[in-house]
Amino acid sequence: MRELFKSNVAGKASRALLNASRIILSNKYILAGFIIVLVFVLMAILADFIAPYSPIEIVGPVLQPPSQKYLMGTDNLGRDVFSRTIYGSRVVLLTTAIAIALSGAIGTLLGLISGYIGGALDRVFSFIMDSIYAFPSLILAIALSVALGPSPINAAIAIAVVYIPTYFRMVRGQVLSIKNEPYIEIARALGIPSTRIVTRHILPHVGRTLMVVFSMNSADAILTEAALSFIGLTVQPPQPDWGFDLYKGRGFILTGYWWMMVFPGFCITLLAVGFALMSEGVSTVISGRKR
Amino acid sequence: MDIVSKLVDVTMDFETRIFGRKRRVRAVDRVSLEVRRGEIYGLVGESGSGKSTIGRISIRLYKPTKGRVFYGKLDITELPESKLRYLRREMQLIPQDPYGAINPIQTIGEALVEPLLIHYKLSKDEAVEQAHRALEEVGLHPSTEFFTRRPRELSGGQLQRAVIARAMILKPKYIVADEPTSNLDASIRTSIIKLLLDLREKYEQSLLFITHDIALLSLIANRIGVLYLAQLFEEGPTEKIVKNPLHPYTKALLSAIPLLSDELGLEKVYLKGEIGDPSNPPRGCRLHPRCPYAMDKCKTEEPPLIMVNEGRSVKCWLYYNS
Amino acid sequence: MSTLEVKDLWVKYYTFSGIVSAVSGVSFNLRKGEMLAVVGESGSGKSTLGLALLNMVPKPGKIVKGEVLLGGVNVLKLTPEEIRKIRGSRLSMVFQDPFTTLDPLRKIVDQFEEFLLEHGFDKSKSRSIVKEYLEAVGLPERIMYSYPHQLSGGQKQRVSIAMAIALNPEVIIADEPTTALDVVVQKQIMDLIDYIKGKYGSSIILITHDLALALERADTVMVMYGGYIMEYADKKELLNNMKHPYTKALFEALPRITTRILPKSLPGYPPDLRSPPQGCIFHPRCEYATEECRLKRPEMIEVGKGHFVACHLYR
């Protein structure tokens, strides 16, 4: 009897962790993707310990090819590309993480409210969201980023805005279908307040699809972030940044200095692939479960 | 005569938008009825007749498009949700499908405790204890076994008992039972009905029993109302309705009951065709395309609700002038 | 020779939570033009039985034993090609839920025609046949050009029936054909089925939970519980001479309008078919259960002409 109400935080957290690990280990794609992403996350966290040099200091002669001393060579200013690559993961991951968290939270919240309340409010929100959704995401992100001013936070906000409609539409759609379930009607008949109905009775059902959208969204967001940083709308030099380094490396690749472009580019691709693998796996698992 | 729930000239319209085209369905058309204290009022009709909608209007889950709804003497038509919340303790709904009635992610225990904690200042332990008692009261014994289970782990009959337990946990006085046994096996049906009747006696409740099964109502209802395509076609004490049905539709309902209709010894009436489209009902009397007694008048003019002594009324031209 | 002979049919579902014995040792014969009602509640195995007769039991179900002889040929042993030819033409099924039969994206006439063409009908004649059979089931011609969602439940069911009889099958299996419909429409559909039985000489297997419906319409009634046959008899014989406690309980559960007493209820719940009770599958709910009932499964005993019961009371 008492076990039912041991709904303390520790219990919930450990159960969530258990569920998460079960999902991760259940599917090859998820596992592979997760490992890739994990490697980059660790890279970001442990950058201070892994990177041999500081990413912004000039540590050697310019334009050295990869060697034992400079594993990925040096760039046109004499900075270690390897260290820059390692530290560059921080910006990418942080910006993307903030963007996804923002769009997920806001999109879900608005979707819940709009879907449940319906009526004129819903029509207005849907219209706004559809309009944003109709815009090509990259162009919108660039426009917003420019308008807000180049900085990692602003880039995160810009990306977030672009993806809010994705979460909104999905959550709203689910709310609309769940709203008609008998148990929601009975909840009202029992006098359960709307806020509780939405949070305790509707939101948990949305969680599953939310996971799928979440993972698909991450893959997208990584690439959008890379695009923004390519244009220089995230961090400013001399901060290390994959996208911007990629941009800088363009001028040198034709003259044979490939290492400034290839390594950051490879990392962007690999990270995006990691997220894409996870999203593939998650949607397979979730749709398999639904049956 | 004490009245628990009253609908006065209630009309309910639903609007649906399909591909930009608006369609208006009048699910309930100027229906008035009242449920008296302590009685079981049986509302019978086919699907599409509007009976479920009426049930929900009477406990204000829907707000009627026109007309007024009363709980006791209180006009609850325009009452905002915040004020309605207190009344929710007194009026409850038992739905048709037990499997949809409890959120699948909740355990039975959680489902029962939730309304208690919302409405009363109880400690969790007190609420849990009351929930256990409620489970025992509906025959789910031992309650500890059912408390931690989820809806899908229970059989239909068991789950409906749990749903009833939850409906009763706030000690309501007025229950709307919407086809509570239609989805259950025949061998279980009676025990659920018995449970409802026992609880009704114990807690002195009044019941609006909605069903398509008029045979069942003949056994348990005090009065019966017959609904067809959003209109009330006939109303009266059960015995009179069953032994001497007036409206051709009532006669057809009774005639169609397999095997048992012979016992009644009534003249059999058969309808052709089907119930018709609620968004575009027939002109005049809504039954006229199917009615074997249809006269010219029936095709163009809608009959009024005619009082035919002792609390009986019929909506049919056959009884005009009598 | 009987039109359909079912011999010792066993169907099991191999699920994650256990093996469910859905149909256990069912045998019966069906004559030409006979309507057999298979009566049972949920979990009785009646629907699985219907599907098994067409060899359409879905995974994880499997027909583990038995024969279904249509005109002497075992349906269960046919190749997929052969069985496709039989389904619809010699053995057809009307489902409870017309959605299973009707494609929501295509007009009625197109679906019906395709069905006829698949079974070798001439394209030039197929459209008139569609019209003929829709008329036979009481539907106006304009229905042909509608989509399923434009039709009511009763109309959809009639279309399913029209398709089921168009090829004049020897056996029509109707699985709860009227459960989703209102009692007045139910009567119309059952009248239609009666008419078909009379005019075309089809044998009908009516699967239903409604004992009253069975007793009113069928020639023979077979009562199932937990996958086993409890009682099997001619309708009149059953009405006058009901033997099995379960059949009696079902009968007593029918509301009797003329008295105002609630019908008797059966205590307990349907059995868990993954771990069914030992002995007679009905014994946990039976008021006459003895020690023998708890231990030994009863055999089918003939207690009257063509009247069989599986119950130790009648040894």
Side-chain angles (χ1 to χ4, degrees), chain B residues 10 32 40 62 84 115 117 134 164 203 218 237 262 269 274 290 309:
Chain B
V10 161
S32 301
I40 298 181
Y62 295 156
L84 272 176
L117 294 178
I164 292 174
Y203 294 112
S218 70
D262 299 313
V269 169
E274 280 159 8
R290 309 170 72 188
N309 67 27

Side-chain angles (χ1 to χ4, degrees), chain B residues 46-47 158 185-187 190-191 194 197 218-219 221 242 256 258-260 263-264 270-274 290, chain C residues 41-42 152 154-155 158 182-184 187-188 212 216 255-263 265-266 269 285:
Chain B
E46 301 169 279
S47 49
Q158 293 168 325
D185 281 332
S187 59
T190 314
S191 51
K194 266 229 196 83
L197 295 180
S218 70
L219 296 177
V242 170
L259 206 65
L260 303 165
E263 287 181 18
L264 290 169
Y270 299 123
L271 301 174
K272 46 185 160 90
E274 280 159 8
R290 309 170 72 188
Chain C
E41 300 174 293
S42 47
S152 72
Q155 290 172 323
R158 285 183 217 244
D182 309 308
V183 82
V184 175
K187 188 186 174 312
Q188 294 170 334
E216 189 183 63
R256 317 219 63 77
I257 301 189
T258 43
T259 68
R260 277 206 115 213
I261 310 170
L262 264 188
S265 66
L266 204 57
Y269 303 104
R285 302 173 82 183

Side-chain angles (χ1 to χ4, degrees), chain A residues 9 17 34 53 60 86 93 107 111 113 115 120 135 148 160 182 187 200 212 224:
Chain A
V9 182
L17 220 63
F34 181 71
Y53 305 97
I86 292 180
L93 287 170
I113 298 177
F135 250 93
L148 291 167
R200 291 299 201 92
V212 179
T224 311

